[in-house]
Amino acid sequence: FGSESSSPSPVYVESVVVLAVVLCVHMAIWNQHSWCSIALFIQAFYVQHKWDRLLKSGAAVFQFRLSANSGIVPASMVMPLMGLVLREKCSASGNVYFERFSMVITITGMMLALFLSLIALGVTRPVPTNTCIIAGLAGSAILYTTKQTLTVSEVIEVLEVLLIFVYLCLIVLYLLPRCFTPGEALLIVGGISFILNQLIKRSLNLAEVKGDPVNYFLPVVVVGSLLLGVFFALLFCFMESETWVSSLFFHMMTAVLVLGILMPWLSLFIGRHPIMWLLDFVTLNDRRLCLLGYWVFLAIVATCVVLHQNYQRQSGSKKHQASTIVRKYFHLIVVATYVPGLIYDRQLLHVASVGCLAVFLLLEYVRYFRILPFGQLLRQLLTLFLDERDSGPLILTHIYLLMGMSLPIWLFPGPCAPKGILSGAGGLVPYAGVLAVGVGDTVASVFGSTMGEIRWPGTRKTLEGTATSVFAQIIAVAMFLIFDGSINLNSTYSWIVGSITLVALLEAYTSQIDNLLLPLYLFIMLLL
């Protein structure tokens, strides 16, 4: 391992932090699946080295994002660990259906990670015998546990997700070169595959559809955006996208998809016309209207920041790029958006964040395909805010920021939480995105870039940045305790501080998209 690169330490420290999270989950849960998660970690650690070598030599099957390692270890562990902690919560609340569902999430995450390992081992030459043996042993343990714990229908469900994942990976990685690392592709495409399979399953069993209508918005938006993107990417291979005819066709087809397919599909799940339901939902009380007004005001402020920065670029040099501090203004605006929503009305925040995701994805399609009249304008406005992670054809930073803040709200195990509230550190679970990305990442970047002197070995991140990030998150927790009466931490303060510190260390050492990884790891730690 040592002869590979001059400073391999960041990858190892990142793996050690992930191992600490895996061991925390294992010690708290201690069952067959948690043992399997340790086996999965060991094989992912060995396979990550092979993936990194493939990326450096350019021998990987697809073009992945440069300037980052493969990220297999942190990405492989997210779904299995999330399934484990969700299962524990659902088991404690006596919700058998969601307990089984959480087991399916765990095994699906493990199978997707094993599949990605298989690709790396298949492509590597000469064949890495030791890594193959380790991956084989881990895979055997996981398959044996699957046979012991899942029913036949659940195994079929896992295989369906795997099949969707394979096809989606081929499509997404071919159409979008250099947008993802292998780990990010595993997380994003794996998540979309799981959602798509669930939506198809629910659509075929409408009699079983139950639960909160709010929860059906996200899957329909994700699947609709995916269909739209794939359809136009294939279509614009054969025709020019920058003409008025193509643009008109884009707008018409988008309207047909939304009004003719997605709206009727959504009305099947919620039992009413979605627009009527949404109007009733938004106008339920005055507080919701006030929140919406406040959010519209913040959206206008964010637009003004973008326009002001672009005006500065035009009056100054063409090379002008937005500084780290300017980019973190958006983090502050997002924190100001999410905190009142989390305190006063989480359901409204859930629906609003899904709507915002739909708008962001649509605008990104307009920019990417240069759809008239706004495509070229969006291109000019957004190139100012690019960072080194936007090396592919898509600009995803703002979408990752939205997802990082929203994922803990979307993934919150409502059916397993009595009265929608979890006790102890679990009370902070919906705030995981605000803490990890909105407060922690922002403070680490601003203080690290302005006052940081001591660098973590092998990285550009600083010790001062990480330390101030931890302090800022602890202060934020204290503020949430004052303003949100539903949080009752009992005596889990040391666990919360430990979780925040672990995630801050992960932020310092990971080269993956931190807006996506950090909230998920904090979510897992706080759920324990």
Side-chain angles (χ1 to χ4, degrees), residues 446-527:
V446 172
F447 277 84
S449 60
T450 53
M451 303 195 313
E453 296 285 336
I454 308 162
R455 298 204 181 279
W456 289 106
T459 75
R460 291 186 301 169
K461 306 289 175 68
T462 62
L463 179 65
E464 293 89 343
T466 306
T468 47
S469 150
V470 173
F471 283 126
Q473 288 179 76
I474 292 167
I475 293 165
V477 169
M479 299 295 284
F480 299 152
L481 275 172
I482 294 167
F483 290 104
D484 190 344
S486 68
I487 302 174
N488 177 21
L489 296 183
N490 299 335
S491 54
T492 53
Y493 299 104
S494 53
W495 179 261
I496 290 164
V497 173
S499 304
I500 286 171
T501 309
L502 260 184
V503 173
L505 273 175
L506 186 62
E507 190 272 334
Y509 276 97
T510 190
S511 60
Q512 305 304 296
I513 298 290
D514 45 11
N515 288 355
L516 213 54
L517 265 189
L518 306 183
L520 291 170
Y521 272 99
L522 191 57
F523 177 88
I524 288 163
M525 291 298 286
L526 293 175
L527 256 186

Side-chain angles (χ1 to χ4, degrees), residues 16 26 39 51 56 71 92 122 167 170 207 247 265 269 294 301 431 528:
V16 167
H26 177 58
W51 262 114
K56 280 193 189 111
Y167 283 111
L170 290 173
S247 301
W265 201 357
F269 293 126
Y294 169 66
V301 169
Y431 290 92
L528 272 180

